[in-house]
């Protein structure tokens, strides 16, 4: 692989990996969660062995792949609009082939080939290793589909090709699928049952990233706290494992320690945590290692016990508070963020008030907030009427967002006057004279560039803030540099 520096649409310089001798061009685009972006890097790696290098130009592509998201109806609509755009390009360049990857591919399967005449290829999230065969089919003029979900596949043996990389931060997948069956969520249907990746291969990937100059890794999974390696297989089959497999199994807290010790200067983050699966030992490991960032993305979805139950979130509001208290006790400066859904079926004003009061208790650093979108096939869609009027969902969502903005500002204001370590990632969007990076707690900080460069760990004295960004001045390299 050689490295080429390219520019993206925003004018940021990107490091593109390209293999010499490859002549076909792949344009790959990702929507939805971080896992999709990470999967696209696996796909690019598989295809680099098939003669494809990536291109940033749709018009140049021999093959266009779109890695899709089904989480809300709006996410699917966005992808459909992109398919229209590809169709327009295909009219000028009829040799271009179009493939749909990811959750929409899994959900809609071969329907895509019938409904969307421009799609040549449909590949579900567990079938990317079959891409060489599927592309050979397409090259011969046939459409190709593989949406088989796997019990084993973790792509642990594939070294991803980093796409749109800043060369500093990277994602590393550690689990696939989800067994939680939250009633609103399509993920268990599109990504299959939960399985974990071999810790050895995770450490190897992390070590390789460090050797290439990366400074921060985010361990990814739909539910990272549930990570459990016992030699392969589904999480749900752990009970059937042999005694020796059980005795030598690795859980998430152990994996975090392994990572933190294997690369003591690499920063580690992880996402997403689920309150029902997060254990005290994970928080203790975070507290023990300075290179594990003090930040937890801990979606709660609702503050009402009745709604939590209807969502099949297996904890109460009180248990969630207990977890928050434990986090703040063991890591007082730990930042916490949320995902919240407004207007789940049967949600009353009282339930909504419970959500707002839960937010008041936690005062999240930031959050990702959504109006409920019914997804076909989920338990909620089958059992519950989508009975909250759209304008009520929107109004409640607005109230949640406004409260979050207030809490975000409260949190960022606490940093003013403090000196914090920032890892420099890229130039600030607003000003080319400033660097942008993140503090351990994941909040973005910007400051004048000085003599520092991308990838440096720098101590920043925070002088001002907005609800989303810290503004400061560099006072020197941090001890980690
Ligand atoms: N555990 C996953 C969750 C993926 S979905 C993870 O890795 O983050 C991300 C968020 O989308 C969920 O936490 C939830 O808040 C929201 N979401 C999921 N299904 C939804 C639906 N049907 N309507 C609205 N929001 C939804
Ligand atoms: Fe979805 Fe719940 Fe899993 S939100 S991804 S079913 S933890």
């Amino acid at each position: 692989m050689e490295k080429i520096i390219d520019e993206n649409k925003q004018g940021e310089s990107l490091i593109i990996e390209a293999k010499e001798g490859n002549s076909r061009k792949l344009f790959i685009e990702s929507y939805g969660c971080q896992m999709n972006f990470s999967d696209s890097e696996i796909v690019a790696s598989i295809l680099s062995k098939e003669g494809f290098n990536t291109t940033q130009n749709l018009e140049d592509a021999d093959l266009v792949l779109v890695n899709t998201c089904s989480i809300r109806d709006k996410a699917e609509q966005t992808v459909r609009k992109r398919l229209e755009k590809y169709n327009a390009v295909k009219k000028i360049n009829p040799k271009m082939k179009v493939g749909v990857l990811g959750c929409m591919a899994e959900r809609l399967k071969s329907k895509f080939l019938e409904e969307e005449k421009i799609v040549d290829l449909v590949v579900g999230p567990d079938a990317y290793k079959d891409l060489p065969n599927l592309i050979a089919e397409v090259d011969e003029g046939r459409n190709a589909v593989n949406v088989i979900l796997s019990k084993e596949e973790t792509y642990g043996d594939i070294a991803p090709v980093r796409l749109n990389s800043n060369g500093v931060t990277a994602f590393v997948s550690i689990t696939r699928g989800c067994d939680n069956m939250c009633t609103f969520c399509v993920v268990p249907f599109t990504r299959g049952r939960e399985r974990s990746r071999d810790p050895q291969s995770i450490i190897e990937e992390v070590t390789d990233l460090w050797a290439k100059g990366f400074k921060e890794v985010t361990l990814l999974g739909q539910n990272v706290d549930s990570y459990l390696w016992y030699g392969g297989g589904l999480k749900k089959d752990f009970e059937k494992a042999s005694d020796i497999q059980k005795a030598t199994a690795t859980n998430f807290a152990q994996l975090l320690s392994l990572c933190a010790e294997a690369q003591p200067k690499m920063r580690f983050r992880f996402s997403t945590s689920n309150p029902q699966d997060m254990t005290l030992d994970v928080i203790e490991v975070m507290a023990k290692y300075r290179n594990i960032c003090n930040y937890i993305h801990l979606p709660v979805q609702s503050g009402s016990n009745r709604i939590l139950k209807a969502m099949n979130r297996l904890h109460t509001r009180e248990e969630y508070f207990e977890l928050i208290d434990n986090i703040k006790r063991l890591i007082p400066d730990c930042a916490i963020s949320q995902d919240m859904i407004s207007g789940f079926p049967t949600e009353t004003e009282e339930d909504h008030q419970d959500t707002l009061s839960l937010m008041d208790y936690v005062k999240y650093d930031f959050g990702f907030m959504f109006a409920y979108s019914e997804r076909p096939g989920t338990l909620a869609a089958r059992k519950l009427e989508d009975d909250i009027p759209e304008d009520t969902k929107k109004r409640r969502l607005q109230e949640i967002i406004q409260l979050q903005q207030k809490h975000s500002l409260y949190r960022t204001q606490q940093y003013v006057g403090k000196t914090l370590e920032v890892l420099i990632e890229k130039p600030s969007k607003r000003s080319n004279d400033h660097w942008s990076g993140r503090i351990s707690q994941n909040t973005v900080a910007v400051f004048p560039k000085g003599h520092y460069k991308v990838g440096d760990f720098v101590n920043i004295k925070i002088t001002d803030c907005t609800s989303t960004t810290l503004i400061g001045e560099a006072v020197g390299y941090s001890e980690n540099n």
Side-chain angles (χ1 to χ4, degrees):
M1 283 284 173
E2 64 177 310
K3 278 186 178 178
I4 300 172
I5 308 286
D6 200 352
E7 271 198 0
N8 71 0
K9 287 174 218 141
Q10 287 81 39
E12 275 168 34
S13 52
L14 296 175
I15 299 157
I16 311 279
E17 291 180 62
K19 195 168 152 192
E20 242 173 275
N22 275 355
S23 59
R24 300 172 92 185
K25 288 192 178 137
L26 164 69
F27 179 87
I28 185 162
E29 215 169 25
S30 311
Y31 292 90
C33 65
Q34 293 162 335
M35 187 71 91
N36 260 4
F37 286 78
S38 170
D39 281 0
S40 292
E41 300 190 330
I42 288 165
V43 168
S45 170
I46 293 170
L47 292 187
S48 86
K49 295 189 185 72
E50 299 299 311
F52 287 92
N53 278 343
T54 55
T55 172
Q56 303 284 306
N57 270 332
L58 175 58
E59 285 75 10
D60 290 349
D62 300 301
L63 176 64
V64 174
L65 295 177
V66 56
N67 204 342
T68 61
C69 174
S70 288
I71 202 78
R72 285 168 291 276
D73 185 52
K74 215 171 134 198
E76 294 204 349
Q77 294 314 327
T78 308
V79 169
R80 289 195 185 277
K81 285 218 186 76
R82 288 306 286 164
L83 288 175
E84 281 168 28
K85 167 79 183 163
Y86 306 153
N87 200 17
V89 178
K90 216 174 169 177
K91 288 210 174 100
I92 307 164
N93 175 12
K95 276 193 279 179
M96 187 179 101
K97 302 291 180 199
V98 174
V100 178
L101 313 178
C103 288
M104 260 175 104
E106 194 60 49
R107 197 175 85 68
L108 297 163
K109 303 192 167 60
S110 49
K111 261 195 229 161
F112 254 120
L113 300 176
E114 295 145 28
E115 284 174 20
E116 312 275 342
K117 295 272 183 278
I118 56 153
V119 174
D120 306 287
L121 181 70
V122 179
V123 193
D126 286 346
Y128 299 144
K129 279 191 190 154
D130 197 25
L131 270 165
N133 301 323
L134 298 167
I135 289 170
E137 292 262 315
V138 169
D139 284 343
E140 285 173 20
R142 291 187 294 274
N143 289 336
V145 183
N146 186 344
V147 288
I148 297 170
L149 289 173
S150 161
K151 285 186 181 176
E152 301 281 341
E153 189 58 82
T154 61
Y155 302 110
D157 53 339
I158 297 205
V161 167
R162 303 291 160 186
L163 299 170
N164 291 334
S165 173
N166 56 19
V168 179
T169 58
F171 296 124
V172 171
S173 292
I174 64 162
T175 69
R176 298 187 70 84
C178 186
D179 285 350
N180 274 351
M181 299 302 274
C182 303
T183 57
F184 53 81
C185 185
V186 77
V187 170
F189 303 94
T190 58
R191 289 191 160 265
R193 302 305 298 251
E194 188 180 310
R195 64 223 101 111
S196 295
R197 175 177 170 189
D198 183 349
Q200 188 77 34
S201 78
I202 296 171
I203 300 294
E204 277 165 20
E205 190 173 332
V206 165
T207 304
D208 181 54
L209 283 165
W210 180 260
K212 287 182 171 145
F214 285 83
K215 301 288 174 66
E216 186 183 292
V217 158
T218 302
L219 305 174
L220 283 186
Q222 301 299 336
N223 178 9
V224 285
D225 306 282
S226 176
Y227 176 89
L228 188 64
W229 170 258
Y230 61 96
L234 295 177
K235 166 84 186 255
K236 75 177 178 61
D237 293 334
F238 178 65
E239 284 312 311
K240 292 185 224 153
S242 68
D243 288 346
I244 181 124
Q245 279 179 317
K246 283 184 184 158
T248 55
T250 308
N251 67 18
F252 184 55
Q254 289 161 332
L255 177 71
L256 269 183
S257 306
L258 285 173
C259 289
E261 285 185 19
Q263 286 306 331
K265 288 196 155 202
M266 182 82 103
R267 262 187 181 182
F268 289 95
R269 302 183 184 279
F270 51 88
S271 190
T272 296
S273 289
N274 191 304
Q276 74 203 40
D277 294 303
M278 185 163 216
T279 49
L280 264 186
D281 55 353
V282 169
I283 308 166
E284 280 159 1
V285 168
M286 289 177 72
K288 181 171 164 195
Y289 295 98
R290 80 173 287 286
N291 60 331
I292 304 179
C293 290
N294 290 347
Y295 166 58
I296 304 174
H297 182 48
L298 198 61
V300 66
Q301 321 295 0
S302 168
S304 150
N305 277 335
R306 195 181 64 81
I307 296 292
L308 285 170
K309 197 161 179 211
M311 288 175 161
N312 194 33
R313 302 286 291 187
L314 300 179
H315 63 83
T316 61
R317 170 188 173 92
E318 292 72 25
E319 284 162 339
Y320 188 79
F321 287 155
E322 205 181 307
L323 180 58
I324 298 288
D325 292 347
N326 278 327
I327 294 168
K328 296 280 177 177
R329 179 172 55 80
L330 291 165
I331 314 169
D333 65 344
C334 194
I336 301 172
S337 60
Q338 44 85 351
D339 287 350
M340 214 64 94
I341 298 178
S342 75
F344 185 79
T346 77
E347 186 187 72
T348 62
E349 280 309 316
E350 203 185 331
D351 295 321
H352 172 59
Q353 289 304 323
D354 283 348
T355 295
L356 298 178
S357 71
L358 177 138
M359 291 175 71
D360 271 327
Y361 184 90
V362 183
K363 294 191 177 58
Y364 293 99
D365 291 73
F366 38 92
F368 304 89
M369 296 146 285
F370 315 98
Y372 174 68
S373 164
E374 186 179 81
R375 306 312 293 134
T378 57
L379 216 71
R382 282 184 275 147
K383 294 269 159 70
L384 300 166
E385 191 195 337
D386 185 7
D387 61 350
I388 308 300
E390 218 44 44
D391 53 350
T392 308
K393 283 183 190 171
K394 291 261 157 64
R395 195 250 309 148
R396 288 179 188 164
L397 177 61
Q398 214 42 50
E399 288 175 13
I400 291 171
I401 291 173
Q402 269 168 12
L403 185 58
Q404 183 53 56
Q405 279 167 347
K406 187 178 125 191
H407 291 154
S408 294
L409 183 63
Y410 166 78
R411 289 294 179 194
T412 54
Q413 281 171 341
Q414 309 307 304
Y415 294 124
V416 175
K418 296 208 167 111
T419 298
L420 305 165
E421 182 191 78
V422 173
L423 170 60
I424 303 178
E425 290 175 25
K426 57 190 176 192
S428 152
K429 273 197 198 110
R430 293 257 176 91
S431 143
N432 205 30
D433 300 330
H434 288 68
W435 288 128
S436 168
R438 278 172 299 150
I439 62 172
S440 169
Q441 289 81 354
N442 208 42
T443 303
V444 171
V446 296
F447 58 97
K449 282 183 174 173
H451 60 282
Y452 300 103
K453 58 184 193 311
V454 168
D456 285 346
F457 286 101
V458 182
N459 284 329
I460 305 298
K461 180 157 184 169
I462 308 300
T463 51
D464 200 359
C465 69
T466 67
S467 64
T468 56
T469 310
L470 305 174
I471 299 143
E473 282 157 22
V475 296
Y477 290 108
S478 85
E479 58 177 285
N480 202 33
N481 208 64

